[in-house]
Structures are given as C-alpha cells and as structure tokens.
Amino acid sequence: MTFLVEAYAFFYQLADSFAFLVLCGLGLAIIFGMMGVINLAHGEFIMCGAYVTVLSARAGLPLPFAMLCGTFAAGLVGLILEFLIIRRLYHRLFDSIVATWALSLIATQGMLIVAGPSIEGLKTPFGSFELGEYSFSVYRALLPLIALLLLGALYWLFVHTRFGVYSRATIQDANMARALGANTGRIYSQTFTLGAALAGLTGALYAPTITAVPTMGQAFIVQSFVTVVVSGADVMLGLAPSAAVLAFIQSLLTKSYGQLIGQIGLLLTVIIVVRVLPKGISGWVLQRNGGR
Amino acid sequence: MPRWLALLDGPQTLGRGPAFWFVFALLVVATGLLPAVVDAFAITNLTYFLVWVFMALGLSIIWGYAGILSFGQTAFFGLAGYTYGVISINLGDAGLWTWFALLMSLLLPAVVAAFVGYFMFYGGVRDVFVGIVTLSITLVFETFMAQTAGPEWTIGSARLNGFNGMSNMPPLTFPWGETPIVFDGPSLFWLVLALVVVVYLGLRIVVNSRFGNVLVAIRENPDRAEMLGYNVRLYQLFVFVIGSVLAAMSGVLYTLWGAYITPSSMGLTAAALPIIWVAAGGRKDITATLLATVFLTWLSQQLAVKGNQYALIWMGFILLVVVLFAPEGLFVTVWNRLRDRRRLRRVATARKTVSLPSA
Amino acid sequence: MATILQTRGLKKYFGGLRAINGVDLAIDAGELRCVIGPNGAGKSTLFKLILGSYPPSEGTILFKGEDITKLQPHLRVQRGMSIKFQVPGIFLQLSVEQNLRIALQRAHRGTALDQALERLLELIDLGHQRSELAANLSHGQQQWLEIAMAVAVQPAVLLLDEPTAGMSHEETFKTGELVKKLNASGMTIVVIEHDMAFVRQIAKRVTVLHFGRVFDDGGLDDIIRNEDVVRIYLGKV
C-alpha cells in the first residue's frame, strides 16, 4: 500500500513540475520559439500577472476574475512594450537581448520600490487531500490538467483560426504573408501580446500558491528558457514532451539529492540538448519524419 | 617604428595619433599619483572599479570583435576566485605561493574554457545557443557552489562554505628580505592599474593585428572567413579562452581586493553586468568598453550610496536608451559623431581653399 | 591535360529531395568551364559540395589527385580552391581595403601584401574607393570585390557562382574580360551562369545540369544545337 502512496507522491511531484514547466514555457514558446525574439523580461510578465491577481483578489474580486485581470494586465503591458520598444528590435538579436534584460531590471527594481519586498499572499483554493502520510494540494494537482487544456486551446487557436494561420504564416515568411494581404505589423504585435498574456496567466495561476516577490521572475526565467530550448520551434509538437522529460529529470534528482541538484540537472540537460539536438525535440521529430 | 607598435593605432580601435596618446599617458600618470592625493578609502574604491575592467575587455573581444555572445565570463570570474581561495588558503602566503595561486587561478579557467569552447564551437553550437549554453554553465557553477554549505565540502583546509562563500584568503605577498611586500591598499591599486595598462595596450595590439582582422572577419561573415582559408572554429576557441583568462584576472583581483568570493558572483544579475557595461559603452571597441566599465561601476556605487533602490533602475534605463538610440554604444556613437564632424570640417576647409573654375 | 578537380558519383539528398543525383565531373587544369541549367538543377549545391559546406550523401571529390571528400572547407581553400558565392559574401561593415587585406594576409606579409593589395584594387578598379565601406558599393562593385577576394588567396581552381547576377550589360562584359584574363594566367575557373551572352563571351566548354545530373557536356555551339537542352530551358537560350 505504501508503495502505491510513494508512487503517487512521485507522480504528483512529476506532474507538478510538468505543469510548472509547461506554464512557464508557454508564453516564451510563442515569443521565442515562434517569433525568435529573446524576451529576457518574460519572468517579469509572469510577475506582473501574479501581482495584479493578488492585488485584485485582495481588493475583493473573486479569484477567477482576479486571474483574468492578471492575464489582461500582462497582455496590456506586452502590447505597449511591443509598440514602444520590441518592434524596433525584430532583426537585431543582440539588441533585443540587451533591451529585454534592461526591461527586466527596471520591472524588478520598480516593483521592489513600489510594492516593497513582498506582499501578503492568497490562500490556495480547494484545500488538500491526504494519502498515507502525505498531504497534497488539490489546486496544484489540478494545474497539470489546466496546462494540458491550455496547450489544447493554443493548438486550436493556431491551427483552426484565421489569426493562428496568419500568425504562423507571418512568422515563417513575413514577406510572403504580406504579399498575401496579411498585416504583418499587427500580427507581430498580436502574437507578442498573446505571449505576454500567457505569461501573465502563468503568474495568475501560481499566485495563490506562492508568495509574490519582485524577484520571482528570476525563478521562472531559467525554467522557461530551458523548456523552450529543449522543445524546439514547434510549440505544439515539442513543449509537452520537453516539459515531461525535464520534469522527470528534475523530480528524480530532487528526490535523491535535493532541489539544487535538481536545478543543476535541468541546466545540464539543456546544455546537452543544445549540443545534440540543436532544433529541440520538435525539430528532431520533424527531421526524422522526412522534413528538411 | 617597429610594425607591432604601429598596431596600437590600427583599424579596429578608436583613437590614434599623438593627441590621443598624450591624453592617455596623462590619465595614467594622474591616476598613478592619486594615492598621494586622496585618502585610502577612495583608493580602495578606485581599485574596485578597475578590477572589473579585465572581464569587460574579455567580453568585448569575444562579443564585440568576434561576434560571440557569451554569458560565461562570470563563470570564469567565480572559478578563478574560488581557485585562488582554495590554493592560497591551503598553501599559505610564504615565499611565492600566492603568486602560484594567482597563476593557477588564471590557468584553470583557461583549461575549462578550452573544453567548453571545444564542446560548443566544434559541436556546431552557434548564435543565441552559445549564450544559452554559457549562461547555463554559469548557473550550474553558481548552484553547485551554493549547495556546498556542509563541512564535508572542503578542499584541503579550505571550506567552500555554500552561500556564504569563502573569505580570509591571504593577499598577494612578495618576499623581500625581512618584511615581505603585501599587496593591499595602494600597492594593490598600483598593481591593478599596471595590469590594466598592460592588458589594454596588449589587447590593442592583438585586435589590430592579423589575428584581430580574422576575428572581425568571423564576426562579419563567418562563411566567407572560412572560404578564405581560416580555421574559424579554432579562432573562436582561441578568443573564447583569451576572454576567459581576462575574466579570471578580474575574478582573482576581486577576491584579492575583498578577501572573499561568493556564489552570487556567478548569479543571474552578476552575469548581466558585464553585458550591460560592454553594450552601453560600445562592444566593438575596447577603449569604449574600458571607459564604460569604470564609469558605470562608479555610477552604480554612487547611486547605491545616495538613493539605494534606484541604482539598478537607472542602469536599466541607460541600457534601454543606448540600445534604442545609440546601439553601437554610447561612447562609440559619440566618438563617431565627433569624428564625422571633424571630417566634414576638414572637407569644408579644403573646399574653401580650392579655387573652383568659373562656370 | 591533367584533371585538377573531379567528382565521382556525387549525390546529395535533403530529406526526400535529390538535389544532386549522380554527378561525374572532370575539370582539367587551366580550363574555363561553364555550368548551366534551369533553376533547381543543383548547380549551387554542386559548388557547396565541392567546397565542403556540407558533406555529400554519396560519392567522392578529388582535387589535385587527392580525395578531399572528408576535408574541412578551410583546408580545401588552403589546398588551392576558392569560391565567389551567389549572394555577395563580403564583409559589409569593413572598408574595401580591409576586405582585401583579410583575404591577402594569409599568403602575404608586409610590403608584398601592400603591393598585392594595389594590384587587386587596380584589377577591379576600386583604387579610389579603398576606404569606402563595402556596404556602400554598388551591387556590381560588390561582386567584383568578392571576385578579387576569391582571387587573393591565389587559388588553383576558382568557382564563380553567378558572378554577373544583377549586373548591367557593361558590367557583365567587363566581368567576362576579367574572367578570361584570370584564366589566361593559368587559373582554372568554373562558372555557374544564367546569362547566355556571358556564357558565349567566355565559355569554351559547357556542362548542363538538370535534376541533379549532368544532362549534356561539350562546346557551347553543340550544346545549343541539342534540342533537349533548349527544351529544358523552355526557351531561355
């Protein structure tokens, strides 16, 4: 009996890591994976979503609405930043790295000054359930399902809607898309905003489970990049497998050697993947199936 | 004039001619005389600003001259610091042991850099992925060092000490009869200043030489460089190792300056700083990089003293403004504007003295 | 006549696409050969295989009698090959003079380098623009700059991939004279071209590539008379 409990405890941990990596990676997968823009402020979009969610909930909004607020807030900030800054940097790789890092610095420090080192958090909804000597949070057990649902929704968006098809076309070949009538400027803007909003959603979803601090972005950014790099450019194909593999490695190492070793395992994985599978999991799969 | 000396004024660096070198010499002498004029605290501060120059110059030649964006400088910085700590704590400061520790602290990162460079450049890792791999390596070092808190993490008699880092390592000591020379305070300042001058001049010669020409060629068009017969990957490996030795120099000198080294010197924020200095000043020129590093480290210290919290925000804004309006770097852009204006004035004066044929 | 460059059974697949599908080519030392063929025939791929940008899926490449199939590109260049890419591959943000210096410095030093530099500048008529940024040159001048750089490494075999693309009639003619002059000094030159007037100006022997295979080979007049060649070009000749 205890074996089953232990097994579930590991599975729970695995699923929790999986959800974290998928949700972290989603927004960045759109912006970096699809658009090729290195957004080092990605963690701060997550922070924005978390903070707005917490503040809205504390102001009286029911949690789901507060989360929507957080998502919209991050999306709005993304829209503004894309208009003011990002759109000048699309073909300037180094400059976009430096600029988004600058934004990250400003956002982190700014939030520290405006809101202080931490704000009072929210209670995790739905309580917990017990198995053997372990107690699990219901909410966090649900997050993996939400992550998969979001992936499904994104798939539908990018494959079955007009916006999605235009977006993928523009990203693949902007000139051609323009020749076919797509307003590429607006599509870049919308896609970036979507990525920012997804990051905000991640922050919103995790807001009830963690203490929101201004430097929380840094905890997310490394995980996000690792997941997206291992995934490769095709988000639908690669993100879930990437998160699964990484969650497995991290959970295994954390269980045996502690969290810091788990983190090292993650980093070593991305180093090896960059060398061995430079196009990530999705690139490797596509290549094997006869693509270029 | 021997040909190598003429390289000081070559195509890949800004500033040349007697006027420039006169100002340079003046600055060096003036700085060297400072310990006689200002108090010990100011000297210690100035040493601190100069310590970072080497790492920034290393990043400049890797990124600005060879076109490789590496986040790995802080990894070699930290590695060098810890190496010096471990060796000097174990071997003590008698005789020339501290200098041996210094040498090893430059050598070990170089060896590690050679392996990392081989792994990347000969493994087909390019562009942004070099940044990702080097940042990951830096964070691996940081995370690894952070979890060395327990007493079992000891090398010889040196405890690694996890988050709190190592401290109390002996300063550089040179045996001199009865009382050995200890390099701290003004003597450390002069040592660092001398090293800055030697490294700066040496790099000027290197980047303007045939080697430097190839680096720039690789930056501009690596395929064309290869098709002119250059072993591109070997050059990339080489410049990466040189950059790592420079970062290591900063690491050792920082450790000597403060007698401590911690894992946070290899963290995410620490990894960002050299990028900020180099990008703000102008990565494609070592003079601009040097000036920007000293200026920005001074600036952030001033801001930290006066309005603590806003320091990093100002840094962020400076960086943003530079990227959007002067992407070549602030110092480089200003220099180029001045130079263009000088050229136009020269052309205008020349035109005035030429008599034009009447129509 | 000694064969200086040879491919045997050369094949290159990109996934399902057979870009090069069995090419046997033999270039003699001192020859001036044109390679023509409709778009997608594999001409540029052939050059890239010869230079070593990527390895062939099958087959061997011999240069001066040595099997270089597994040799790295920069080593092939050091052995005496050189290429001018289809898209100008020069150092745009460097001056004309710097571009040529970098090309020359492997083989020359000191005053010999300066002299070689002057000769090249004269060859492509850019002496008065030596300090100009390469990016500011006209397209034709950039092509010439790249040819000069390719020549600077003193190759035994020079590969030119569409050297007259985007050039005016006048520039095309001058390029043709330049190519003939280089060939007259003993350099083996292989040229990929679409411009038939240019081919006519310089070619002695022509190889036609189609669907990754050698379709026809011979003097220009014989090639033109071949109805199949005319057909695959769909009236381009």
Side-chain angles (χ1 to χ4, degrees):
Chain A
M1 189 62 195
T2 42
F3 170 72
L4 280 176
V5 174
E6 290 289 332
Y8 179 73
F10 184 71
F11 171 76
Y12 174 89
Q13 180 54 44
L14 197 64
D16 193 54
S17 287
F18 171 79
F20 186 73
L21 291 172
V22 168
L23 290 169
C24 274
L26 262 182
L28 193 62
I30 305 289
I31 293 179
F32 177 46
M34 280 179 77
M35 295 173 74
V37 173
I38 317 259
N39 179 20
L40 290 177
H42 173 68
E44 279 62 48
F45 282 115
I46 296 180
M47 172 191 63
C48 173
Y51 264 85
V52 172
T53 305
V54 172
L55 292 172
S56 317
R58 296 227 134 256
L61 276 177
L63 190 57
F65 287 107
M67 288 189 181
L68 273 175
C69 276
T71 310
F72 274 124
L76 186 64
V77 172
L79 183 68
I80 295 173
L81 286 178
E82 197 274 342
F83 178 73
L84 287 178
I85 297 171
I86 309 290
R87 64 173 47 181
R88 299 166 206 242
L89 305 174
Y90 281 128
H91 297 290
R92 293 157 56 180
L93 181 72
F94 291 154
D95 290 342
S96 63
I97 290 174
V98 174
T100 52
W101 202 314
L103 286 171
S104 159
L105 268 179
I106 295 172
T108 310
Q109 286 304 114
M111 191 57 94
L112 184 63
I113 293 175
V114 163
S118 70
I119 59 175
E120 212 181 315
L122 303 172
K123 271 186 22 207
T124 315
F126 305 142
S128 56
F129 63 97
E130 313 231 326
L131 265 186
E133 56 184 35
Y134 294 105
S135 140
F136 303 106
S137 157
V138 174
Y139 182 75
R140 286 195 82 128
L142 286 175
L143 282 179
L145 295 169
I146 297 182
L148 288 172
L149 256 161
L150 272 176
L151 272 179
L154 271 184
Y155 173 78
W156 175 83
L157 178 72
F158 277 109
V159 174
H160 294 294
T161 65
R162 199 181 146 94
F163 161 74
V165 173
Y166 268 81
S167 179
R168 280 159 60 218
T170 305
I171 285 160
Q172 274 194 21
D173 188 343
N175 281 324
M176 202 58 220
R178 220 174 283 137
L180 293 172
N183 183 338
T184 51
R186 201 173 57 187
I187 286 174
Y188 277 131
S189 169
Q190 287 170 341
T191 310
F192 187 86
T193 306
L194 176 65
L198 282 170
L201 179 59
T202 304
L205 286 170
Y206 277 98
T209 71
I210 56 176
T211 321
V213 293
T215 51
M216 63 188 280
Q218 293 190 354
F220 287 84
I221 189 85
V222 175
Q223 321 291 68
S224 311
F225 265 101
V226 168
T227 313
V228 171
V229 169
V230 173
S231 150
D234 192 327
V235 179
M236 296 305 124
L237 202 53
L239 197 62
S242 161
V245 168
L246 290 169
F248 184 73
I249 293 174
Q250 191 176 33
S251 302
L252 206 60
L253 286 172
T254 305
K255 187 169 160 65
S256 316
Y257 301 110
Q259 227 197 5
L260 289 176
I261 299 292
Q263 180 80 343
I264 291 179
L266 217 59
L267 292 166
L268 289 175
T269 306
V270 80
I271 291 172
I272 295 171
V273 167
V274 166
R275 171 72 174 78
V276 173
L277 289 179
K279 292 201 163 65
I281 292 179
S282 61
W284 177 72
V285 170
L286 288 173
Q287 225 168 8
R288 291 205 61 190
N289 291 343
R292 283 222 168 190
Chain B
M1 164 170 330
R3 203 165 168 119
W4 60 265
L5 206 58
L7 289 175
L8 280 171
D9 271 353
Q12 265 90 248
T13 49
L14 295 178
R16 64 191 58 175
F20 174 79
W21 290 111
F22 178 71
V23 171
F24 173 76
L26 206 62
L27 274 173
V28 172
V29 170
T31 315
L33 291 173
L34 279 176
V37 187
V38 298
D39 63 39
F41 182 70
I43 292 299
T44 310
N45 265 343
L46 199 51
T47 314
Y48 179 77
F49 303 146
L50 291 176
V51 149
W52 301 98
V53 166
F54 307 96
M55 176 160 70
L57 289 176
L59 184 61
S60 170
I61 60 164
I62 293 177
W63 185 22
Y65 287 85
I68 302 164
L69 178 54
S70 162
F71 283 110
Q73 292 297 82
T74 33
F76 303 122
F77 179 94
L79 190 58
Y82 273 98
T83 306
Y84 182 81
V86 167
I87 296 183
S88 63
I89 288 179
N90 276 303
L91 296 182
D93 58 0
L96 289 171
W97 282 123
T98 51
W99 295 89
F100 172 74
L102 174 68
L103 189 63
M104 286 297 119
S105 309
L106 296 178
L107 220 56
L108 184 61
V111 171
V112 173
F115 274 110
V116 171
Y118 179 77
F119 173 83
M120 289 194 304
F121 304 125
Y122 284 78
V125 179
R126 330 179 83 175
D127 308 321
V128 66
F129 293 103
V130 171
I132 289 172
V133 169
T134 48
L135 182 60
S136 303
I137 290 175
T138 304
L139 293 177
V140 165
F141 271 135
E142 186 218 9
T143 316
F144 182 78
M145 282 315 199
Q147 55 93 47
T148 57
E152 70 273 21
W153 288 101
T154 310
I155 303 181
S157 47
R159 245 188 91 158
L160 292 177
N161 229 2
F163 268 116
N164 297 317
M166 260 197 224
S167 51
N168 294 324
M169 52 282 282
L172 282 176
T173 319
F174 196 78
W176 194 257
E178 294 248 322
T179 35
I181 305 175
V182 177
F183 282 90
D184 60 19
S187 46
L188 184 62
F189 170 74
W190 279 318
L191 177 66
V192 173
L193 181 62
L195 283 172
V196 167
V197 171
V198 166
V199 166
Y200 173 73
L201 293 175
L203 279 179
R204 269 191 84 112
I205 294 176
V206 167
V207 302
N208 287 322
S209 70
R210 298 149 58 91
F211 177 77
N213 286 340
V214 180
L215 287 184
V216 168
I218 293 173
R219 176 192 75 204
E220 291 296 313
N221 194 334
D223 290 324
R224 172 38 76 191
E226 187 169 38
M227 295 309 176
L228 287 175
Y230 295 109
N231 189 343
V232 169
R233 296 187 290 191
L234 190 61
Y235 277 89
Q236 289 174 323
L237 177 62
F238 216 70
V239 77
F240 189 72
V241 171
I242 295 176
S244 77
V245 173
L246 290 169
M249 199 173 287
S250 276
V252 173
L253 292 172
Y254 170 82
T255 307
L256 286 169
W257 173 85
Y260 62 67
I261 182 80
T262 65
S264 61
S265 65
M266 296 187 281
L268 213 51
T269 319
L273 288 177
I275 309 274
I276 294 176
W277 305 324
V278 170
R283 67 179 188 259
K284 292 190 184 168
D285 183 70
I286 54 175
T287 314
T289 298
L290 192 156
L291 292 172
T293 305
V294 176
F295 174 67
L296 287 174
T297 44
W298 170 82
L299 185 66
S300 53
Q301 198 197 53
Q302 290 299 103
L303 293 171
V305 163
K306 307 231 166 99
N308 185 22
Q309 309 158 304
Y310 291 90
L312 281 176
I313 295 197
W314 279 111
M315 288 297 224
F317 266 116
I318 290 174
L319 203 54
L320 211 52
V321 163
V322 167
V323 164
L324 289 175
F325 301 113
E328 292 289 301
L330 205 57
F331 287 104
V332 169
T333 308
V334 166
W335 183 278
N336 284 339
R337 290 267 166 84
L338 289 175
R339 183 193 57 190
D340 289 340
R341 219 174 281 173
R342 257 181 277 136
R343 269 206 202 130
L344 282 172
R345 228 180 289 139
R346 224 177 291 146
V347 171
T349 347
R351 285 226 181 99
K352 275 194 232 146
T353 59
V354 170
S355 50
L356 298 169
S358 41
Chain C
M1 276 285 238
T3 307
I4 191 170
L5 179 63
Q6 198 176 8
T7 72
R8 285 196 199 138
L10 203 59
K11 292 189 185 164
K12 180 62 181 174
Y13 310 135
F14 292 110
L17 175 69
R18 295 173 179 230
I20 296 287
N21 200 9
V23 168
D24 293 312
L25 197 66
I27 314 274
D28 293 327
E31 219 191 299
L32 176 50
R33 178 85 68 99
C34 273
V35 175
I36 67 175
N39 277 323
K43 309 188 291 292
S44 288
T45 311
L46 179 64
F47 269 16
K48 288 196 181 130
L49 287 170
I50 292 174
L51 246 313
S53 297
Y54 31 67
S57 308
E58 271 178 58
T60 48
I61 304 167
L62 293 120
F63 182 60
K64 293 183 184 171
E66 181 194 350
D67 186 340
I68 59 162
T69 319
K70 295 214 164 63
L71 204 60
Q72 284 175 28
H74 69 275
L75 291 172
R76 300 187 197 196
V77 173
Q78 287 177 16
R79 296 236 196 317
M81 268 197 226
S82 189
I83 187 168
K84 183 224 153 299
F85 292 114
Q86 190 172 5
V87 177
I90 55 182
F91 307 118
L92 288 169
Q93 298 305 320
L94 303 180
S95 69
V96 169
E97 184 173 336
Q98 259 305 70
N99 270 270
L100 290 171
R101 262 186 202 282
I102 291 169
L104 285 166
Q105 69 174 35
R106 226 172 27 84
H108 304 274
R109 276 180 174 279
T111 32
L113 195 157
D114 295 328
Q115 286 169 350
L117 178 65
E118 294 305 316
R119 281 201 299 272
L120 279 175
L121 282 170
E122 210 187 292
L123 185 73
I124 55 172
D125 197 23
L126 281 177
H128 55 293
Q129 279 180 289
R130 63 177 65 210
S131 305
E132 189 72 57
L133 268 189
N136 295 340
L137 296 177
S138 74
H139 183 79
Q141 287 174 318
Q142 288 182 347
Q143 300 269 53
W144 285 334
L145 177 59
E146 195 182 355
I147 294 177
M149 286 165 73
V151 164
V153 299
Q154 299 175 317
V157 172
L158 176 63
L159 305 176
L160 299 174
D161 195 342
E162 298 197 34
T164 65
M167 280 192 185
S168 66
H169 281 304
E170 225 179 85
E171 290 172 328
T172 304
F173 184 77
K174 276 166 88 169
T175 310
E177 294 305 297
L178 175 60
V179 171
K180 288 205 287 196
K181 186 169 160 186
L182 290 169
N183 182 240
S185 70
M187 198 181 288
T188 311
I189 306 187
V190 186
V191 185
I192 293 176
E193 251 311 330
H194 272 306
D195 187 334
M196 281 308 148
F198 182 73
V199 174
R200 184 166 277 291
Q201 185 190 354
I202 66 168
K204 298 171 191 157
R205 189 164 157 196
V206 175
T207 301
V208 183
L209 230 56
H210 186 49
F211 285 145
R213 308 185 88 120
V214 174
F215 193 78
D216 201 354
D217 193 314
L220 182 59
D221 295 310
D222 301 322
I223 297 291
I224 301 177
R225 258 173 281 178
N226 184 336
E227 283 174 4
D228 292 322
V229 172
V230 175
R231 194 169 28 88
I232 67 173
Y233 260 98
L234 296 165
K236 258 193 142 171
V237 179

